[in-house]
Amino acid sequence: MHWTKEAIKALDFKFRLNLINSITGIKPANLIGTISESGTTNLAIFSSVVHLGSDPALIGFIVRPTGEIPRHTYQNIIANGLYTINHIHESFIERAHYTSAKFASEESEFDMCKLTEEYLAGWKAPFVKESKLKIAMEFMESIPLKRNNTIMIIGQVAHIFIDDIAVNDKGRIDLAALNDVGLSGLNRYYRLEEIAEHPYARVNELPDF
């Protein structure tokens, strides 16, 4: 198959949505937890979480246009500057997926999707108790992306909570041991399995391919 830019634009809306959301391959599946000024918790699934740097430890993610539809995650982060990132595992894929439904602002996805709020290290924003890898985030900045009116949220890692079995003596995380899942498009989930490990790539150490 071959689609040009013009052909892509002319595609059926749902077909184009599925196609473009899938062409980047497997994306991380995370739940972002926030709390409103009135104390209502919010939980939303995101597949756009990305590493931005390790010193300082920065993580970004993309929020879709706010427009007329309130984006509770965005509103809560801007209001109080704190949020959490929680990995999704096979044991609660379905519950995590349905946090994407458009619940009212006074309804908590934790309650509606039967996930458990957890508060650690005095952090105001809620973690997902069912998650074995949780990250407390401090909001740093938001960058509007003019091309499609989305917003990149950049935060700094404040705390990391992770199951002991998943970290080796070099600090590498075994995502398969956590039963982490990846996401393709908007609704197709995949198991993660480590299939290879290679050393840091140096020109003078190239293998004989």
Side-chain angles (χ1 to χ4, degrees):
M1 296 182 182
H2 170 219
W3 291 284
T4 63
K5 179 174 66 175
E6 292 74 21
I8 291 170
K9 189 174 182 179
L11 289 170
D12 171 78
F13 171 76
K14 288 186 177 179
F15 187 97
R16 182 176 70 244
L17 179 71
N18 291 330
L19 179 70
I20 301 304
N21 270 294
S22 301
I23 58 173
T24 54
I26 302 300
K27 299 170 287 187
N30 290 281
L31 288 167
I32 293 184
T34 60
I35 188 167
S36 70
E37 291 183 287
S38 64
T40 301
T41 55
N42 178 264
L43 194 63
I45 189 169
F46 282 84
S47 62
S48 59
V49 173
V50 61
H51 161 87
L52 296 178
S54 57
D55 187 17
L58 299 178
I59 296 175
F61 72 97
I62 300 296
V63 178
R64 289 181 292 171
T66 51
E68 296 180 0
I69 302 173
R71 301 293 179 188
H72 303 143
T73 297
Y74 176 75
Q75 292 174 335
N76 294 346
I77 291 173
I78 296 302
N80 58 53
L82 303 176
Y83 56 105
T84 70
I85 299 175
N86 308 266
H87 282 212
I88 297 172
H89 313 308
E90 289 189 48
S91 58
F92 58 94
I93 291 174
E94 186 176 39
R95 286 176 287 166
H97 177 74
Y98 277 91
T99 64
S100 61
K102 294 179 174 62
F103 294 106
S105 60
E106 67 275 10
E107 295 176 314
S108 171
E109 287 80 1
F110 281 97
D111 296 332
M112 304 302 291
C113 298
K114 300 297 185 291
L115 289 162
T116 312
E117 295 176 22
E118 184 175 36
Y119 295 90
L120 302 168
W123 207 247
K124 182 179 180 181
F127 296 90
V128 177
K129 186 174 184 179
E130 289 80 0
S131 178
K132 297 177 182 178
L133 202 169
K134 323 174 219 278
I135 312 165
M137 299 295 300
E138 297 174 339
F139 171 68
M140 293 287 107
E141 62 179 308
S142 63
I143 301 175
L145 305 179
K146 296 179 181 179
R147 288 291 176 183
N148 61 357
N149 295 319
T150 56
I151 301 169
M152 171 171 272
I153 300 294
I154 298 175
Q156 183 166 348
V157 175
H159 300 276
I160 300 171
F161 303 92
I162 185 168
D163 195 309
D164 293 346
I165 65 168
V167 185
N168 69 14
D169 57 2
K170 295 181 179 178
R172 296 193 176 104
I173 297 173
D174 185 347
L175 299 176
L178 294 174
N179 292 317
D180 261 22
V181 297
L183 181 57
S184 174
L186 299 175
N187 58 358
R188 302 184 75 184
Y189 296 85
Y190 291 78
R191 290 189 177 96
L192 301 183
E193 178 184 357
E194 182 177 348
I195 59 172
E197 180 179 342
H198 298 286
Y200 185 83
R202 294 179 173 85
V203 173
N204 62 348
E205 296 177 359
L206 281 182
D208 184 16
F209 298 119

